[in-house]
Every structure is written in structure tokens, then in C-alpha cells.
Amino acid sequence: MKYGFFDDANREYVITDPKTPFPWINYLGNHDFFSLVSNTAGGYSFYKDAKFRRLNRYRYNNVPMDNGGRYFYINDGENIWSPGWKPVKTPLDHYECRHGLSYTTIKGQKADIEAEVTFFVPLNAWAEVQKMKLTNKGKTEKTFKLFSYNEWCLWNAEDDQNNLQRNLSTGEVEIDGATLYHKTEYKERRNHYAFYHLNQEIDGYDTDRESFIGLYNEFSNPRAVLDGKPSNSEAHGWSPIASHYKEITLAPGESTDLIFILGYIENEEEEKWESKGVINKTKAKALIDQYNTVEKVDAALKELADYWTELLSVITLNHADDKLNRMVNIWNQYQCMVTFNMSRSASFFEVGIGRGMGFRDSNQDLIGFVHQVPERARERIIDIASTQFPDGGCYHQYQPLTKRGNDAIGGGFNDDPMWLILGTVSYIKESGDFSILDEMVPFDNDPSLAQTLFDHLTISFNHVINNLGPNGLPLIGRADWNDCLNLNCFSKDPNESFQTTENNTEGSKAESVMIAGLFVVYGTDYVALCQELGKTEEAERAQNCVDAMKEAVKQFGWDGEWFLRAYDFYGNKVGSDENEEGKIFIESQGWCSMAEIGLEEGMVEKALDSVKERLDTPYGIVLNNPAFTEYKIEYGEISTYPAGYKENAGIFCHNNPWIMIGETKLGRGNQAWEYFKQICPAYLEDIHDLHKVEPYVYCQMIAGKDAYKPGEGKNSWLSGTAAWNFYTVVQHILGVSPEYKGLKVDPCIPNEWDTYSINRKFRGGEYAITISNPDKVSKGVAKLIVNGEVIEGNIIPDLGEGNHKVEVIMGTTSLVDSASAEAVVAE
């Protein structure tokens, strides 16, 4: 069953049935203030940090699903209903949700009353604006009662759930006309408060949850709405809320607009109070004044739309396949921005409490985002590097509010350091800004330990070679990219975290072939950066280390038909045909193929053929095979999942692109493209009921072939899958990638493709690139013509400002000689 459709012209996904297989959500906000909103208006808002600055309560994993949100109730005397269907769930005469780029519009109609609400966070505003339009679609006058509803979270989302003996006594509010203020804990240690405002006079309100809902009622049948009148309650402890009440009469065809503003304010210590016990509302009133009319809100919406138009204009594809255009031009880039903002902290699968910004995660997310706003990527790199340790290790996560490392998780994930090279090199190639390497960056946020960012990269590189095991392969530490492959954990206590419990690394022989491949890929990037900087001695030293790692993988990381995954604590093979279960893993096949280790000896081809034979499914490539069917204490969490789910032979979409890139190294464009389509949301519209999660964004995991429901998706939105798929399809399949000297063109496509074009903004210039494939090849550039001149090789030079026309002709040999280049361009 289809629940909606893509509206490419408006860059929206339109949901036409509120009962989607799972809540389908959107993200609002771009800088400091964010909201999550589902297709039935569920979700919450926060300032910077979903744990420490949560504005509204949300009930995760509840029955029914998706409980808590920005709700509106309409009582017309005969019907009680909500525009987004939930929470009342009265059947609507018409329903539509349009998820757009940082805004969502929900429209519901019942008994000739239409309510349309647009939710968005204006650029650079600490507020969610809700623009409501109420229209009488009937032929007689309509009088009805409108109630808004917002339940306050007491700031710390974890403490809000746990510390009830305190929290049920702390709630405090202020009421000032149509503005309902949440000032819990403001008089003590907090410098912030929140408010919920309506831009018209109100006929009543409630600020106490029990008064509004009733002790034994639910969101679906609040007592105040059933009674048709509020209590004008003032919260003192218990659970503070904000609900406006307004009586509305509309003539036939008449509409009225209301603007609701959910805002966040910070005051300096000396400016906290207007008078004793009365909060200083100066900033709140100024914020309200920015968005208190329809004209102001419409202007802010246009500014938001223009902002996204500009962001998405950096890379645009024109291809015969509309689904590919849709993903490259709109939804994949949009998800990359959201994932960059959120890391893995807040979704409908991540509760915004347990995880901050990831060191590894954020560096990978950056590769899908850096082309849009390089200056924000630059800031993020400095933030990430500042949480590194002097020995090259690093905090696995940091909190976005403080930008300090997360002690609860700590470090010891031995792949982390190398990702900093990826993030930094990607930024420099896009921006041409080498000055970032000279920035003085602290270790462990201690300015007295600061060294240049380049020094951080060197120390990251050295961390791998300073932590090698008996086979010359990198020690895995707590884990590598697969946090659930815990080779040094040996946990018997179900109350322990596999990833944070003390690891038994002393004397361990647990080595990671995946980190070895990762080291070769980004170690090679480090060598090239050193050469670009004229650091020839360091480049030579690093190259020797990279070459030694390649040899170690060939000698000790090859299993005959594929690459090993690791060696365990005792030095036994992991991911070998000798194993009973988990014979082959995707990660080492991807990274060692990307690194082209053993390319000449046929290792890459054999490894990728083994992936196709053993790991491929109609829904994507599974992580390992055969699945584990019993708990292997020396492997850890990976063997605790049921077969076919998550890391135990699930389709972990994040690593599928690594195989796609490996296929492009072999020139196998047809296979790379087939793998791409298997997990790309735009190609999965026919399996919504099976896939369940949003049809416009990637999810982290799809159930594998051993699962009860192969093809079922989970953990959507905040996944490194977004960045890796965008990076893979644009730079390795479509084949346009930034380099230090310009743009490299090296497509690897299905040989049936005829032509496509990419418009690429790059360092102030705009390049209109047309790729033609007259010989029906998958790989190979026969001719590169830039502004009418034939260019040797496949690098478009950095030509600076202006519009530049580029023609790329694919083939195995030169199609035209230099003398006829002008004729080709003219044609």
C-alpha cells in the first residue's frame, strides 16, 4: 500500500494516510534550535542539546506509538478532532502532511472546517513557529473551540524521566496574556526559560497537565476539550504544560490565521529578573515581535526556502532517471545536512539522552555535507579534533552543548583517529583552505596542550602504527567501526554495556583487518597531503608505513577467497572460512577493496565476488554470513542479536557503499549501480508496508536474509548511510570529486547509460559538466574538454570565478584528436 508520494517540484514528500507503517518524521532547524515532527505532529524541540535543553516531553517506545507533540484540538459541538489525526484519531474527511526542507505542513478537514498548520524553525531563531490557517469550507457559519497543547520537559530529558520525587514539585510557570512561560528552575542555576505564545487574545488557558487532561484521561480525550472550556489553571509543581483556548466563528468561505511561537530564551545573570520573582521577558517579546504576523512568518518561510535552494544548488544532477535526480538533488543532500546537525543524538530511534556527537560519526557525516557550507564543516573539524588525546586516541563522543568529551563513553575505539584525516582532507579538497592545518587545536580541550591541526593528523596516523598486533595489523581496542564486535570484552553480566565496560586489552592479540584497510585508504590521503605541503620526508615515512600495512594484509589478512575480518583475543581468525559462523564480513571486503590491496593479484576481484555470492540479498548486502546462532563471548555483542538483525547479519546500510566503491575500483559500474538501488529509498516505494520507515531517507538497518521479516527497515534518518551514499553516487558512480588542483572526473556507471549532466559550484566557479557515453562503457574518460580546450588527464582545473563548460566523453581510447575538439564542442 502507498501512503504518499514525492512532489519533486516542491521538494516535498506528501503523506496522504496518517496511519503510516511507522511514524514518518521530519527535522526543523539548522543551527542551534531543532525540532522533530512526525506526520501526525508528534515530537519535540530542543536548544543545541537534546539531553540538556529539551523543551517538550515525548514518550518513546510507547503504546500507542508517537505520543506527545504539538497538538491542536477542535471541538465544534459535534466532533472533537485534531488536524494531524493524532492524538484524538477521529476519522478525518481529508488529511495531508507535506514534509519539506526544514518545514512540515499538516492539513486536516472535518465537517467543513479545515485546519492547516505549518511548522518550521526560522533561520537563526531559537523558536519553532506554527502558522495555523482555519477555513470554513461549508455553506453555513461555523463556531468552534480551539485548544493548543504543549507539555514542558524539565530541561534535562534524562532527569525529567527519573527524578520524579524532585521534579513533581519543581514546575513553575508565568502567564502574561497569550504568552505562557515555563520557568522551572530558573530562579536557581538556570539562565534560560521557554514560552508558548499565540498572536491573538485568548479566551482562556491551562498550564497544569492534570487540570487540562484529567488524571485518568489521555491525550486523545482531554477533559478540558471534552468539557469545552479550560480551567485557567496555574501549575505549581506536578507537570507544567501550555494550552491556549480560543473561541472562533467563521462565515462560509472565511479564513483566519493564528501564529503560535514556541521559544527559548537565555538571560545574563544580572538581567534575569524584571522584578522579584518575575522573569525578564525583554528578549522573549523581541523574539515574538519577529514572527507575530502572517507577513513576517511568510517572509521567514521564504528566507528558509531560499536558503535551501542555495544549499542544494552546489551539486545538481540532470539524469533520465527521475528517482536518481530526486535523491541526489533533494533528499540525500537534505538528510546529510540533518545528520551533520544531529550526529546520532536525536531521532525516533535515538532518544537524545545517551549519545552526543560522535568523533567517527561526525567526520564521516562531513563528507556528505562539506560542499554545502564549508565554513561549518571547518568549525566541526576543530571541535572534533579538540577532543583528541595527546597519544592520538580520542573521546568517542562529545556533548554539543559543552563540546567536551563524553566521559561516560570514553575512548579506545581504535578506528576513530583515522577518520580525522578523512574529514580534514575532504574539507581542504572542497574549499582549497589549507590554513586550517595551521590552526592551534587543543588536546582534551586543554589549551595548554594545543598543537596545529596538521600535528593532530600526524598523531592520528601514528596512533595506528603505535598500536599494532603480532601480525603487524592494527589492534582493535574496544572496537573498530563495528562497535558490536567486542573482541576484548568477555562480558557475562547482562547489566554491563559491551562498549563501555572495561576491556581486557592487555596481552590481547585482537587485530582489525578493517582498520588496516582504513589506514591504507586514509594513510594514502595523508601521504598525498604531505606531498602537497612539500613535507617530502614525512610523506616518505608515511608511505613506508602504508606499504608495510598492505603487505601485512596480504600475508595475514587474506583467507583465500576474501579478506579476514579480524583476529580475536587469542589470535584466532575472525571472518574466515575456517569459522563455523561469521565466515565472511562486509567491512574488510569494502575497505581492503577501496584500498586496492592485492588488486594486481586478483584479491579485490575475488573478495567482491565473494560478497556477491555470500552477502548479497534483494534488499542490500548483509554484514556477515552465516549469522551467529549462539552467544560467542569472545565476539561480544554482535552475537547477541537474533540472526538477520543489526550487526548479526543484518543489512547495515552504512557499509553497503564501501562495496559499491570497491566495485568502481574494478570498473564494474553495473554492479555498483545495482547495489546502490537496492537500499536507495526512492527505489523502494513498492514495499512501504514491509520497509516501514520513511520512504525519503536512508535507514541504518534493514533486516537481512536470516531475519523473520527480511527487508524491514529500522533506525532511520541519523545514519552514516546518508553521507556515504551521497559521496559514493556523486564521486564514484557519477564520478565528479573535488581534488586539491580541481575537480576530478572519473565515472563508473552502468554501460547502458547514454548521457547525464552535473552542475557543480566549486571555489567560486560554476562548472556545467556533461558526460557522454557513446561507446557504452562503464569506466574510462577518453576526452576532457574545458571551455573548448582539450585537457590532458581527467582533472578539471580550478578556474576560479565564472561559468565554465565541460564536456566529458567516456571511452577506452581517445575519440577525437585535439584538432577536432572545437567541432565536438560545437556539436
Side-chain angles (χ1 to χ4, degrees), residues 154 159 163-171 185 188-189 237:
L154 304 187
D159 185 80
N163 195 7
L164 302 186
Q165 61 84 25
R166 169 180 166 81
N167 293 339
L168 293 180
S169 298
T170 59
E185 295 188 336
E188 303 111 56
R189 297 168 295 170

Side-chain angles (χ1 to χ4, degrees), residues 143-257:
T143 296
F144 55 93
K145 299 170 181 180
L146 175 72
F147 299 80
S148 68
Y149 180 81
N150 173 72
E151 182 178 5
W152 300 114
C153 177
L154 304 187
W155 300 116
N156 182 325
E158 182 175 32
D159 185 80
D160 182 71
Q161 296 178 22
N162 300 335
N163 195 7
L164 302 186
Q165 61 84 25
R166 169 180 166 81
N167 293 339
L168 293 180
S169 298
T170 59
E172 289 189 275
V173 300
E174 276 188 34
I175 299 134
D176 184 11
T179 312
L180 309 175
Y181 289 91
H182 172 221
K183 62 174 186 178
T184 303
E185 295 188 336
Y186 183 71
K187 70 176 181 293
E188 303 111 56
R189 297 168 295 170
R190 296 191 179 276
N191 67 343
H192 44 272
Y193 62 81
F195 65 85
Y196 194 32
H197 169 82
L198 174 58
N199 72 332
Q200 295 186 16
E201 289 186 8
I202 55 177
D203 299 307
Y205 58 85
D206 272 302
T207 63
D208 171 69
R209 189 181 73 190
E210 184 179 333
S211 300
F212 179 79
I213 290 183
L215 185 59
Y216 295 107
N217 294 41
E218 300 177 4
F219 288 138
S220 60
N221 61 345
R223 185 171 64 192
V225 179
L226 295 176
D227 292 346
K229 60 181 181 180
S231 303
N232 293 338
S233 59
E234 184 173 345
H236 296 283
W238 297 107
S239 292
I241 66 163
S243 174
H244 306 92
Y245 169 70
K246 190 165 181 64
E247 298 172 1
I248 297 170
T249 298
L250 295 175
E254 184 183 5
S255 296
T256 186
D257 294 292

Side-chain angles (χ1 to χ4, degrees), residues 778-797:
S778 280
K779 193 175 179 71
V781 173
K783 187 70 66 174
L784 175 62
I785 305 163
V786 181
N787 293 334
E789 295 184 12
V790 175
I791 302 292
E792 291 296 322
N794 64 344
I795 302 289
I796 304 168

Side-chain angles (χ1 to χ4, degrees), residues 521-542:
V521 173
Y522 297 128
T524 300
D525 277 353
Y526 176 72
V527 169
L529 177 63
C530 290
Q531 292 170 337
E532 193 71 22
L533 298 171
K535 298 178 181 289
T536 52
E537 289 186 11
E538 176 62 5
E540 184 176 350
R541 177 192 78 92

Side-chain angles (χ1 to χ4, degrees), residues 30-87:
N30 290 294
H31 297 290
D32 294 332
F33 191 96
F34 301 96
S35 296
L36 289 72
V37 57
S38 75
N39 58 295
T40 58
Y44 59 93
S45 303
F46 60 93
Y47 169 77
K48 285 191 177 180
D49 192 308
K51 178 178 181 178
F52 292 119
R53 291 294 183 272
R54 185 82 64 93
L55 268 69
N56 346 60
R57 282 193 180 131
Y58 182 77
R59 279 100 178 143
Y60 277 91
N61 199 25
N62 208 341
V63 178
M65 282 296 297
D66 191 17
N67 256 7
R70 61 282 285 156
Y71 290 146
F72 294 100
Y73 300 87
I74 293 173
N75 183 339
D76 65 7
E78 296 182 4
N79 304 286
I80 293 174
W81 58 283
S82 294
W85 184 63
K86 284 200 72 179

Side-chain angles (χ1 to χ4, degrees), residues 139 161 166 263 296 311 391 425 446 453 464 712 748 799:
K139 297 179 179 179
Q161 296 178 22
R166 169 180 166 81
K296 293 176 183 178
L311 284 183
D391 71 348
V425 166
D446 183 348
L453 180 62
V464 176
E712 182 181 49
C748 186
L799 300 173

Side-chain angles (χ1 to χ4, degrees), residues 59-120:
R59 279 100 178 143
Y60 277 91
N61 199 25
N62 208 341
V63 178
M65 282 296 297
D66 191 17
N67 256 7
R70 61 282 285 156
Y71 290 146
F72 294 100
Y73 300 87
I74 293 173
N75 183 339
D76 65 7
E78 296 182 4
N79 304 286
I80 293 174
W81 58 283
S82 294
W85 184 63
K86 284 200 72 179
V88 180
K89 293 187 280 189
T90 298
L92 300 175
D93 299 332
H94 175 75
Y95 161 88
E96 180 182 274
C97 170
R98 288 181 171 264
H99 282 323
L101 306 184
S102 294
Y103 70 90
T104 287
T105 298
I106 295 176
K107 183 189 296 184
Q109 184 175 324
K110 184 71 177 177
D112 293 330
I113 299 172
E114 181 183 86
E116 177 179 298
V117 192
T118 297
F119 306 91
F120 76 106

